[in-house]
Amino acid sequence: CFLDAKNIAADTDVTFVWILNGKEILKTNLKIKAGPKWRTRADKNLHNQKGEWKVELRDASGAMLKDVSFQVE
């Protein structure tokens, strides 16, 4: 998952949360620096784990900013 953040007011942390069939599998914490633009990414090897996947992007307080869902068959 890629993150293209813009107009970051202060240094902060974000977390990518990988969820399979409703169960949290992995959290990846990343630092984002203040500035006009910041790009980063988080990845996970799915190891052919089939089912309903969701990746949530959360802010430093844990609030969900965005999510994406996909199916592995």
Side-chain angles (χ1 to χ4, degrees):
C1 289
F2 292 90
L3 172 63
D4 187 6
K6 297 178 182 168
N7 302 318
I8 303 107
D11 291 0
T12 189
D13 296 327
V14 294
T15 303
F16 286 90
V17 182
W18 297 80
I19 300 164
L20 173 59
N21 298 322
K23 180 181 176 189
E24 187 177 296
I25 302 295
L26 175 70
K27 283 185 181 177
T28 304
N29 298 312
L30 301 170
K31 300 216 177 278
I32 295 182
K33 301 290 184 177
K37 189 170 188 178
W38 188 268
R39 290 182 180 173
T40 191
R41 70 182 179 96
D43 54 47
K44 160 123 183 60
N45 188 328
L46 303 181
H47 299 290
N48 201 27
Q49 295 178 354
K50 298 178 181 180
E52 294 284 334
W53 281 92
K54 180 163 76 166
V55 181
E56 296 178 350
L57 175 64
R58 297 182 185 170
D59 68 12
S61 70
M64 187 171 59
L65 302 170
K66 181 83 174 168
D67 68 339
V68 62
S69 296
F70 57 95
Q71 175 82 26
V72 175
E73 297 179 355

Coordinates of all heavy atoms in Angstrom, one line a residue:
C1 N 0.8 -1.2 0.0 CA 0.0 0.0 0.0 C 0.9 1.2 0.0 O 1.9 1.3 0.7 CB -0.9 0.0 1.2 SG -2.2 -1.2 1.2
F2 N 0.5 2.2 -0.8 CA 1.3 3.4 -0.9 C 0.5 4.6 -0.3 O -0.7 4.6 -0.3 CB 1.5 3.7 -2.4 CG 2.4 2.8 -3.1 CD1 1.9 1.6 -3.7 CD2 3.8 3.0 -3.1 CE1 2.8 0.7 -4.3 CE2 4.6 2.1 -3.7 CZ 4.1 0.9 -4.3
L3 N 1.3 5.5 0.3 CA 0.7 6.7 0.9 C 1.4 7.9 0.3 O 2.6 8.0 0.3 CB 0.9 6.7 2.4 CG 0.6 7.9 3.2 CD1 -0.9 8.2 3.1 CD2 1.0 7.8 4.6
D4 N 0.6 8.8 -0.2 CA 1.1 10.1 -0.8 C 0.4 11.2 0.1 O -0.7 11.5 -0.2 CB 0.7 10.2 -2.2 CG 1.3 11.4 -2.9 OD1 2.1 12.1 -2.3 OD2 1.0 11.6 -4.1
A5 N 1.1 11.6 1.1 CA 0.5 12.6 2.0 C 1.0 14.0 1.6 O 2.1 14.2 1.1 CB 1.0 12.3 3.5
K6 N 0.1 15.0 1.8 CA 0.4 16.4 1.4 C 0.1 17.3 2.5 O -0.8 17.1 3.3 CB -0.4 16.8 0.2 CG -0.1 15.9 -1.0 CD -0.9 16.3 -2.2 CE -0.5 15.3 -3.4 NZ -1.4 15.4 -4.5
N7 N 0.9 18.4 2.6 CA 0.7 19.5 3.6 C 0.7 18.9 5.0 O -0.3 19.2 5.8 CB -0.6 20.2 3.3 CG -0.6 20.8 1.9 OD1 0.5 21.4 1.4 ND2 -1.7 20.8 1.2
I8 N 1.7 18.2 5.4 CA 1.8 17.7 6.7 C 2.3 18.8 7.7 O 3.4 19.3 7.5 CB 2.8 16.5 6.7 CG1 2.4 15.4 5.7 CG2 2.9 15.9 8.1 CD1 3.2 15.4 4.5
A9 N 1.4 19.1 8.6 CA 1.7 20.2 9.5 C 2.8 19.9 10.5 O 3.6 20.8 10.9 CB 0.4 20.6 10.3
A10 N 2.9 18.7 11.0 CA 3.9 18.4 12.0 C 4.3 16.9 11.8 O 3.5 16.1 11.3 CB 3.3 18.6 13.4
D11 N 5.5 16.6 12.3 CA 5.9 15.2 12.3 C 4.9 14.3 13.0 O 4.3 14.7 14.0 CB 7.3 15.0 13.0 CG 8.4 15.6 12.3 OD1 8.2 16.2 11.2 OD2 9.5 15.5 12.8
T12 N 4.6 13.1 12.4 CA 3.5 12.3 13.0 C 3.8 10.8 12.6 O 4.8 10.5 11.9 CB 2.1 12.7 12.5 OG1 1.1 12.0 13.3 CG2 1.9 12.5 11.0
D13 N 3.0 10.0 13.2 CA 3.1 8.5 12.8 C 1.8 8.1 12.2 O 0.7 8.7 12.5 CB 3.3 7.7 14.1 CG 4.6 8.0 14.8 OD1 5.6 8.3 14.1 OD2 4.6 7.9 16.0
V14 N 1.9 7.1 11.3 CA 0.7 6.5 10.7 C 0.9 5.0 10.9 O 2.0 4.5 11.0 CB 0.4 6.9 9.3 CG1 0.1 8.3 9.1 CG2 1.6 6.5 8.4
T15 N -0.2 4.3 10.8 CA -0.1 2.8 10.9 C -1.0 2.2 9.8 O -2.1 2.6 9.6 CB -0.7 2.3 12.3 OG1 0.0 3.0 13.3 CG2 -0.6 0.8 12.4
F16 N -0.4 1.2 9.1 CA -1.1 0.4 8.2 C -1.5 -0.9 8.9 O -0.6 -1.6 9.5 CB -0.3 0.0 7.0 CG 0.0 1.1 6.0 CD1 1.0 2.0 6.1 CD2 -0.9 1.3 5.0 CE1 1.2 3.0 5.2 CE2 -0.7 2.3 4.0 CZ 0.3 3.2 4.2
V17 N -2.8 -1.2 9.0 CA -3.3 -2.4 9.7 C -3.8 -3.4 8.6 O -4.7 -3.1 7.9 CB -4.4 -2.1 10.7 CG1 -4.8 -3.3 11.4 CG2 -3.9 -1.0 11.7
W18 N -3.2 -4.6 8.6 CA -3.6 -5.6 7.6 C -4.5 -6.6 8.3 O -4.2 -7.1 9.4 CB -2.4 -6.4 7.1 CG -1.4 -5.5 6.4 CD1 -0.5 -4.6 6.9 CD2 -1.3 -5.4 5.0 NE1 0.2 -4.0 5.9 CE2 -0.3 -4.4 4.7 CE3 -2.0 -6.0 3.9 CZ2 0.1 -4.1 3.4 CZ3 -1.6 -5.6 2.6 CH2 -0.6 -4.7 2.4
I19 N -5.7 -6.8 7.8 CA -6.8 -7.6 8.4 C -7.2 -8.7 7.4 O -7.5 -8.4 6.2 CB -8.0 -6.7 8.7 CG1 -7.5 -5.6 9.7 CG2 -9.1 -7.5 9.3 CD1 -8.5 -4.5 9.9
L20 N -7.3 -9.9 7.9 CA -7.8 -11.1 7.0 C -9.0 -11.7 7.7 O -8.9 -12.1 8.9 CB -6.6 -12.1 6.9 CG -7.0 -13.4 6.2 CD1 -7.5 -13.2 4.8 CD2 -5.8 -14.4 6.2
N21 N -10.1 -11.7 7.0 CA -11.3 -12.3 7.5 C -11.7 -11.8 8.9 O -12.1 -12.5 9.7 CB -11.2 -13.8 7.5 CG -11.1 -14.4 6.1 OD1 -11.6 -13.9 5.1 ND2 -10.2 -15.4 6.0
G22 N -11.5 -10.5 9.0 CA -11.9 -9.8 10.3 C -10.9 -9.9 11.4 O -11.1 -9.4 12.5
K23 N -9.7 -10.6 11.2 CA -8.7 -10.8 12.2 C -7.5 -9.9 11.8 O -6.9 -10.1 10.7 CB -8.3 -12.2 12.3 CG -7.3 -12.5 13.4 CD -6.9 -14.0 13.5 CE -5.8 -14.2 14.5 NZ -5.3 -15.5 14.4
E24 N -7.0 -9.1 12.8 CA -5.8 -8.3 12.6 C -4.6 -9.2 12.5 O -4.3 -10.0 13.3 CB -5.7 -7.3 13.7 CG -4.6 -6.3 13.5 CD -4.5 -5.3 14.6 OE1 -5.5 -4.6 14.8 OE2 -3.5 -5.4 15.4
I25 N -3.9 -9.1 11.3 CA -2.7 -9.9 11.1 C -1.4 -9.2 11.3 O -0.5 -9.7 11.9 CB -2.7 -10.4 9.6 CG1 -4.0 -11.2 9.3 CG2 -1.5 -11.2 9.3 CD1 -4.2 -12.5 10.1
L26 N -1.3 -7.9 10.9 CA -0.1 -7.1 11.0 C -0.3 -5.6 11.1 O -1.3 -5.1 10.5 CB 0.8 -7.4 9.8 CG 2.1 -6.6 9.6 CD1 3.1 -7.1 10.6 CD2 2.6 -6.8 8.2
K27 N 0.5 -5.0 11.9 CA 0.5 -3.5 12.0 C 1.9 -3.0 11.6 O 2.9 -3.5 12.1 CB 0.2 -3.0 13.4 CG -1.2 -3.1 13.9 CD -1.4 -2.4 15.2 CE -2.8 -2.5 15.7 NZ -2.9 -1.9 17.1
T28 N 1.9 -2.0 10.7 CA 3.2 -1.4 10.3 C 3.1 0.0 10.6 O 2.3 0.8 10.1 CB 3.4 -1.6 8.8 OG1 3.3 -3.0 8.5 CG2 4.7 -1.1 8.4
N29 N 4.0 0.5 11.6 CA 4.0 1.9 12.0 C 5.1 2.6 11.2 O 6.2 2.1 11.1 CB 4.3 2.0 13.5 CG 3.3 1.3 14.3 OD1 2.1 1.6 14.1 ND2 3.7 0.5 15.3
L30 N 4.7 3.8 10.7 CA 5.7 4.6 9.9 C 5.6 6.0 10.3 O 4.6 6.5 10.7 CB 5.3 4.5 8.4 CG 5.2 3.1 7.7 CD1 4.6 3.2 6.4 CD2 6.6 2.5 7.7
K31 N 6.8 6.6 10.2 CA 6.9 8.0 10.6 C 6.7 8.9 9.3 O 7.2 8.5 8.3 CB 8.3 8.3 11.2 CG 8.5 7.5 12.5 CD 9.3 8.3 13.5 CE 9.5 7.6 14.8 NZ 8.3 7.7 15.6
I32 N 6.0 10.0 9.5 CA 5.9 11.0 8.4 C 6.4 12.3 8.9 O 6.0 12.7 10.0 CB 4.4 11.1 8.0 CG1 4.0 9.7 7.4 CG2 4.2 12.2 7.0 CD1 2.6 9.7 6.9
K33 N 7.2 12.9 8.1 CA 7.8 14.2 8.5 C 7.0 15.4 8.0 O 6.3 15.3 7.0 CB 9.2 14.3 8.0 CG 10.2 13.3 8.5 CD 10.5 13.4 9.9 CE 11.5 12.4 10.4 NZ 11.9 12.6 11.7
A34 N 7.0 16.5 8.7 CA 6.3 17.7 8.3 C 6.9 18.2 7.0 O 8.0 18.1 6.7 CB 6.5 18.8 9.4
G35 N 6.0 18.7 6.2 CA 6.4 19.3 4.9 C 5.3 19.3 3.9 O 4.2 18.8 4.2
P36 N 5.6 19.7 2.7 CA 4.5 19.8 1.7 C 4.1 18.5 1.1 O 3.0 18.3 0.6 CB 5.1 20.7 0.6 CG 6.6 20.6 0.8 CD 6.8 20.3 2.2
K37 N 5.0 17.5 1.1 CA 4.7 16.2 0.5 C 5.5 15.1 1.1 O 6.7 15.3 1.4 CB 4.9 16.2 -1.0 CG 4.3 15.0 -1.7 CD 4.4 15.3 -3.2 CE 3.7 14.2 -3.9 NZ 3.6 14.4 -5.4
W38 N 4.9 13.9 1.3 CA 5.7 12.8 1.9 C 5.1 11.5 1.3 O 3.9 11.3 1.3 CB 5.5 12.7 3.4 CG 6.4 11.7 4.0 CD1 6.1 10.4 4.3 CD2 7.8 11.9 4.5 NE1 7.2 9.8 4.9 CE2 8.2 10.7 5.0 CE3 8.7 13.0 4.4 CZ2 9.5 10.5 5.5 CZ3 9.9 12.8 5.0 CH2 10.3 11.6 5.5
R39 N 6.0 10.7 0.8 CA 5.5 9.4 0.2 C 6.2 8.2 1.0 O 7.3 8.3 1.3 CB 6.0 9.3 -1.3 CG 5.2 10.2 -2.2 CD 5.7 9.9 -3.6 NE 5.0 10.8 -4.5 CZ 5.2 10.9 -5.8 NH1 6.3 10.3 -6.3 NH2 4.5 11.7 -6.5
T40 N 5.4 7.2 1.2 CA 5.9 6.0 1.9 C 5.0 4.8 1.5 O 4.0 5.0 0.8 CB 6.0 6.2 3.4 OG1 6.7 5.1 4.0 CG2 4.6 6.3 4.0
R41 N 5.4 3.7 1.9 CA 4.7 2.5 1.6 C 4.8 1.4 2.7 O 5.8 1.4 3.5 CB 5.1 1.9 0.3 CG 6.4 1.2 0.3 CD 6.8 0.7 -1.1 NE 8.2 0.1 -1.1 CZ 8.4 -1.1 -0.9 NH1 7.4 -2.0 -0.7 NH2 9.7 -1.6 -0.9
A42 N 3.9 0.5 2.7 CA 3.9 -0.7 3.6 C 3.5 -1.9 2.8 O 2.6 -1.8 2.0 CB 3.0 -0.5 4.8
D43 N 4.2 -3.0 3.0 CA 3.8 -4.2 2.2 C 3.7 -5.4 3.1 O 4.3 -5.4 4.2 CB 4.7 -4.4 1.0 CG 6.1 -4.5 1.4 OD1 6.5 -5.2 2.3 OD2 6.9 -3.9 0.7
K44 N 3.1 -6.4 2.7 CA 2.9 -7.6 3.4 C 2.9 -8.8 2.4 O 2.2 -8.7 1.4 CB 1.6 -7.6 4.2 CG 1.1 -9.0 4.6 CD 0.9 -9.2 6.0 CE 0.5 -10.5 6.5 NZ 1.4 -11.6 6.2
N45 N 3.7 -9.8 2.6 CA 3.6 -11.0 1.8 C 2.4 -11.8 2.3 O 2.3 -12.2 3.4 CB 4.9 -11.8 1.9 CG 4.9 -13.0 1.0 OD1 3.9 -13.6 0.6 ND2 6.1 -13.4 0.6
L46 N 1.4 -12.0 1.4 CA 0.2 -12.7 1.7 C 0.3 -14.2 1.9 O -0.6 -14.8 2.4 CB -0.9 -12.3 0.7 CG -1.2 -10.8 0.5 CD1 -2.3 -10.6 -0.5 CD2 -1.5 -10.1 1.9
H47 N 1.4 -14.8 1.4 CA 1.7 -16.2 1.6 C 0.5 -17.0 1.1 O 0.1 -18.0 1.7 CB 2.0 -16.6 3.0 CG 3.2 -15.9 3.5 ND1 4.5 -16.2 3.1 CD2 3.4 -14.9 4.4 CE1 5.4 -15.5 3.7 NE2 4.8 -14.7 4.5
N48 N -0.2 -16.6 0.0 CA -1.4 -17.3 -0.6 C -2.5 -17.5 0.5 O -3.2 -18.5 0.4 CB -0.9 -18.6 -1.2 CG -1.9 -19.1 -2.2 OD1 -2.6 -18.3 -2.8 ND2 -2.0 -20.4 -2.4
Q49 N -2.6 -16.6 1.4 CA -3.7 -16.6 2.4 C -4.9 -16.1 1.8 O -5.0 -14.9 1.5 CB -3.3 -15.8 3.7 CG -2.1 -16.4 4.4 CD -1.8 -15.5 5.6 OE1 -2.3 -14.5 5.9 NE2 -0.8 -16.0 6.4
K50 N -5.9 -17.0 1.5 CA -7.1 -16.7 0.8 C -8.1 -16.1 1.8 O -8.2 -16.4 2.9 CB -7.6 -17.9 0.1 CG -6.7 -18.4 -0.9 CD -7.1 -19.6 -1.6 CE -6.1 -20.1 -2.6 NZ -6.5 -21.3 -3.3
G51 N -9.0 -15.2 1.2 CA -10.1 -14.7 2.0 C -10.2 -13.2 1.7 O -9.7 -12.6 0.8
E52 N -11.0 -12.6 2.6 CA -11.3 -11.1 2.6 C -10.2 -10.3 3.3 O -10.1 -10.5 4.5 CB -12.7 -10.9 3.2 CG -13.9 -11.5 2.5 CD -14.2 -10.7 1.2 OE1 -14.0 -9.5 1.2 OE2 -14.8 -11.4 0.3
W53 N -9.5 -9.6 2.5 CA -8.5 -8.7 3.1 C -8.9 -7.3 3.2 O -9.7 -6.8 2.4 CB -7.2 -8.8 2.3 CG -6.4 -10.0 2.4 CD1 -6.4 -11.1 1.7 CD2 -5.3 -10.2 3.4 NE1 -5.5 -12.0 2.2 CE2 -4.8 -11.5 3.2 CE3 -4.8 -9.4 4.4 CZ2 -3.8 -12.0 4.0 CZ3 -3.7 -9.9 5.2 CH2 -3.3 -11.2 5.0
K54 N -8.4 -6.6 4.2 CA -8.7 -5.1 4.3 C -7.4 -4.5 4.9 O -6.7 -5.1 5.8 CB -9.8 -4.8 5.3 CG -10.1 -3.3 5.4 CD -11.5 -3.0 5.9 CE -11.6 -3.2 7.4 NZ -12.8 -2.6 8.0
V55 N -7.0 -3.4 4.4 CA -5.9 -2.6 4.9 C -6.4 -1.3 5.4 O -7.1 -0.6 4.6 CB -4.8 -2.4 3.9 CG1 -3.6 -1.7 4.5 CG2 -4.3 -3.8 3.3
E56 N -6.2 -0.9 6.6 CA -6.6 0.3 7.2 C -5.4 1.2 7.4 O -4.4 0.8 7.8 CB -7.3 0.2 8.5 CG -8.6 -0.6 8.4 CD -9.3 -0.9 9.8 OE1 -8.7 -0.5 10.8 OE2 -10.4 -1.3 9.8
L57 N -5.6 2.5 7.1 CA -4.6 3.5 7.4 C -5.1 4.3 8.6 O -6.2 4.8 8.5 CB -4.3 4.4 6.2 CG -3.4 5.6 6.5 CD1 -2.0 5.1 6.8 CD2 -3.4 6.6 5.3
R58 N -4.3 4.3 9.7 CA -4.7 5.0 10.9 C -3.8 6.1 11.3 O -2.5 6.0 11.0 CB -4.8 4.0 12.1 CG -5.8 2.9 11.8 CD -6.0 2.0 13.0 NE -6.8 0.8 12.7 CZ -7.0 -0.2 13.5 NH1 -6.3 -0.3 14.6 NH2 -7.8 -1.2 13.2
D59 N -4.3 7.1 11.9 CA -3.4 8.2 12.3 C -2.8 7.9 13.7 O -3.0 6.8 14.2 CB -4.2 9.6 12.4 CG -5.3 9.6 13.4 OD1 -5.4 8.7 14.3 OD2 -6.1 10.6 13.4
A60 N -2.0 8.8 14.2 CA -1.3 8.6 15.5 C -2.2 8.3 16.7 O -1.8 7.6 17.6 CB -0.4 9.8 15.8
S61 N -3.4 8.7 16.6 CA -4.4 8.5 17.7 C -5.1 7.1 17.5 O -5.9 6.7 18.4 CB -5.4 9.6 17.9 OG -6.3 9.6 16.8
G62 N -4.9 6.5 16.4 CA -5.6 5.2 16.1 C -6.9 5.4 15.2 O -7.5 4.4 14.9
A63 N -7.3 6.6 14.9 CA -8.5 6.9 14.1 C -8.2 6.4 12.6 O -7.1 6.7 12.1 CB -8.9 8.3 14.1
M64 N -9.2 5.8 12.0 CA -9.0 5.3 10.7 C -9.1 6.5 9.7 O -10.1 7.2 9.8 CB -10.0 4.2 10.3 CG -9.8 3.6 8.9 SD -10.7 2.2 8.5 CE -12.4 2.8 8.7
L65 N -8.2 6.6 8.8 CA -8.2 7.7 7.8 C -8.7 7.2 6.5 O -9.4 7.9 5.8 CB -6.8 8.2 7.6 CG -6.1 8.8 8.8 CD1 -4.6 9.0 8.5 CD2 -6.8 10.0 9.2
K66 N -8.4 5.9 6.1 CA -8.8 5.3 4.9 C -8.7 3.8 5.0 O -7.9 3.3 5.8 CB -7.9 5.9 3.8 CG -8.1 5.4 2.4 CD -9.2 6.3 1.8 CE -9.3 5.9 0.3 NZ -10.5 6.5 -0.3
D67 N -9.5 3.1 4.2 CA -9.3 1.7 4.1 C -9.5 1.2 2.7 O -10.1 1.9 1.9 CB -10.2 1.0 5.1 CG -11.7 1.1 4.7 OD1 -12.1 2.0 4.0 OD2 -12.5 0.2 5.2
V68 N -9.0 0.0 2.4 CA -9.2 -0.6 1.1 C -9.4 -2.1 1.4 O -8.8 -2.7 2.2 CB -8.0 -0.4 0.1 CG1 -6.7 -0.9 0.7 CG2 -8.3 -0.9 -1.3
S69 N -10.3 -2.7 0.6 CA -10.6 -4.1 0.8 C -10.4 -4.8 -0.5 O -10.6 -4.3 -1.6 CB -12.1 -4.3 1.2 OG -12.4 -3.7 2.4
F70 N -10.0 -6.1 -0.4 CA -9.8 -6.9 -1.6 C -9.9 -8.4 -1.3 O -9.8 -8.8 -0.1 CB -8.4 -6.6 -2.3 CG -7.2 -6.8 -1.4 CD1 -6.5 -8.0 -1.4 CD2 -6.8 -5.8 -0.5 CE1 -5.4 -8.2 -0.6 CE2 -5.7 -6.0 0.3 CZ -5.0 -7.2 0.3
Q71 N -10.1 -9.2 -2.3 CA -10.4 -10.6 -2.1 C -9.2 -11.4 -2.7 O -8.8 -11.1 -3.8 CB -11.7 -11.0 -2.8 CG -12.0 -12.5 -2.8 CD -12.6 -13.0 -1.6 OE1 -13.2 -12.2 -0.8 NE2 -12.4 -14.3 -1.3
V72 N -8.7 -12.4 -2.0 CA -7.6 -13.3 -2.5 C -8.3 -14.6 -2.7 O -8.8 -15.2 -1.7 CB -6.4 -13.4 -1.6 CG1 -5.4 -14.4 -2.2 CG2 -5.7 -12.0 -1.5
E73 N -8.3 -15.1 -3.9 CA -9.0 -16.4 -4.2 C -8.0 -17.5 -4.5 O -6.9 -17.3 -4.9 CB -10.0 -16.3 -5.4 CG -11.1 -15.3 -5.0 CD -12.0 -15.1 -6.2 OE1 -11.8 -15.6 -7.3 OE2 -13.0 -14.4 -6.0

